Amino acid sequence: KEIRKIRQQLQDYNTRATNQKIEMLFVDRDLEDLGVEINRLIDLFVAANRDKIRFESEQKQAIANISHDLRTPLTSILGFLQMAQSTHVSEEEKAEYLMIAKQRAKRLETLLNDFFELSLIESPDYQLESKRINLKQVTIDTLISFYDLFNQHHIEPTIDLPDHDIFIMADLSAVTRIIENLLSNAVIHSDGNLTISLRESNFTVHLMISNDAHHLTEQDVTHLLDRFYMADQSRSGKSTGLGLSIVKSLLEKMGGHIKISLNHGNLSITCEWTSVT
């Protein structure tokens, strides 16, 4: 009788007559354990189906976004090349059109490189070399390489680094790429102040880069790590929307974590690693 009850409940669930799982009202203990395992299986199925739907939605959005981002500069390139070929333009105008087409081609190249890099990083076969590196020194070296860009955007960053060296087990190239992406993102999208801080507590290393971003909302923050997401569409020509996705993927490959918060118009992105001696 109880087996028939289980069968009927499963039939109702499978035919979508109900969304209710197996009721745990059995006299036999073994049948009750069976009901528990069936309910666990149902939970796993629901979670897997939810992940499948989310993945398909993200894939569709990613294809739509990359199609748009590829088509926009490509259309612009073809347009300026066509104008440069016109017999009614001067040599100066022709040179200007060709320069603009070259700039658009550079953006297209950047987009394709970033997309290829992200696809490569997310591949199961992509491996990083883990070794002991001085995160403080890597941060300093990367900041020095951004000196001209800071000046170009009239940014004087606030830098808060500890007196002592901080070591982590990570891939040097990946860590450098992470800091470069975070700094580039901050410079491009900052409304003003930029702060870089490095600290260590409870065997965890925190690298935080924060900047004023009054144009962002809490909803934007929840999507900043999504592929191609750009909160400020007016600045879409300055980035590919893949930088933070690359940061997240590289961190996960190294066993690190990324946290994003928005407080009173100040955006903070924190990368975390386990410290080593």
Side-chain angles (χ1 to χ4, degrees):
K1 180 180 178 180
E2 292 192 328
I3 290 175
R4 285 198 299 270
K5 181 179 178 182
I6 291 176
R7 181 194 61 78
Q8 184 60 52
Q9 291 183 70
L10 278 175
Q11 186 179 50
D12 291 342
Y13 184 87
N14 289 335
T15 57
R16 296 296 183 267
T18 178
N19 288 323
Q20 187 174 351
K21 295 185 289 186
I22 305 298
E23 295 180 357
M24 296 293 101
L25 300 173
F26 301 108
V27 177
D28 188 89
R29 178 62 182 273
D30 289 331
L31 285 177
E32 185 174 326
D33 291 341
L34 175 62
V36 170
E37 293 304 318
I38 291 175
N39 284 343
R40 286 184 58 193
L41 185 61
I42 290 174
D43 289 338
L44 290 172
F45 170 77
V46 170
N49 192 52
R50 187 186 304 118
D51 289 342
K52 176 176 177 290
I53 294 173
R54 179 179 56 81
F55 176 76
E56 290 176 349
S57 176
E58 289 179 353
Q59 288 295 97
K60 290 179 181 178
Q61 187 61 47
I63 293 172
N65 287 339
I66 194 172
S67 297
H68 174 269
D69 281 5
L70 287 174
R71 186 168 58 249
T72 300
L74 189 58
T75 301
S76 178
I77 291 169
L78 293 174
F80 282 106
L81 288 177
Q82 185 176 6
M83 287 190 292
Q85 291 176 333
S86 174
T87 57
H88 303 292
V89 299
S90 65
E91 290 299 321
E92 291 183 359
E93 290 175 322
K94 182 181 295 186
E96 181 181 356
Y97 293 152
L98 290 175
M99 179 59 68
I100 295 174
K102 182 179 179 180
Q103 292 172 351
R104 299 293 192 276
K106 284 291 183 182
R107 162 165 167 71
L108 187 59
E109 180 184 35
T110 300
L111 173 64
L112 291 172
N113 287 340
D114 284 352
F115 185 71
F116 174 76
E117 181 180 10
L118 182 59
S119 301
L120 186 65
I121 293 170
E122 293 183 343
S123 167
D125 299 328
Y126 184 81
Q127 299 296 325
L128 296 175
E129 180 185 0
S130 183
K131 63 180 182 180
R132 183 173 178 266
I133 65 172
N134 187 342
L135 183 57
K136 176 185 174 183
Q137 190 59 52
V138 176
T139 303
I140 292 173
D141 293 341
T142 309
L143 284 169
I144 292 174
S145 70
F146 272 74
Y147 178 79
D148 290 337
L149 188 61
F150 288 149
N151 282 339
Q152 179 182 340
H153 288 264
H154 308 290
I155 294 176
E156 186 174 343
T158 300
I159 302 173
D160 181 17
L161 303 179
D163 296 330
H164 61 281
D165 291 333
I166 292 182
F167 294 93
I168 61 174
M169 292 296 295
D171 185 283
L172 176 59
S173 176
V175 172
T176 302
R177 183 76 161 106
I178 285 171
I179 300 174
E180 288 175 345
N181 280 18
L182 292 177
L183 289 176
S184 295
N185 184 76
V187 169
I188 293 173
H189 300 289
S190 175
D191 292 338
N193 298 324
L194 172 61
T195 301
I196 300 97
S197 67
L198 178 64
R199 58 186 177 86
E200 182 181 12
S201 63
N202 299 325
F203 303 104
T204 302
V205 176
H206 308 267
L207 174 65
M208 183 177 72
I209 296 180
S210 59
N211 59 273
D212 290 340
H214 298 287
H215 60 284
L216 292 181
T217 65
E218 290 292 344
Q219 183 178 0
D220 290 327
V221 172
T222 61
H223 294 289
L224 285 181
L225 296 177
D226 296 348
R227 294 183 182 185
F228 304 103
Y229 185 80
M230 286 175 283
D232 189 350
Q233 295 297 325
S234 66
R235 304 187 188 192
S236 60
K238 299 180 181 180
S239 67
T240 63
L242 291 171
L244 293 182
S245 294
I246 291 174
V247 168
K248 178 176 179 285
S249 295
L250 286 174
L251 270 173
E252 290 177 346
K253 284 281 185 178
M254 293 184 287
H257 304 280
I258 184 170
K259 296 179 179 178
I260 301 180
S261 63
L262 182 67
N263 295 307
H264 303 293
N266 185 267
L267 177 70
S268 296
I269 300 179
T270 304
C271 299
E272 297 180 349
W273 293 267
T274 300
S275 62
V276 296
T277 55

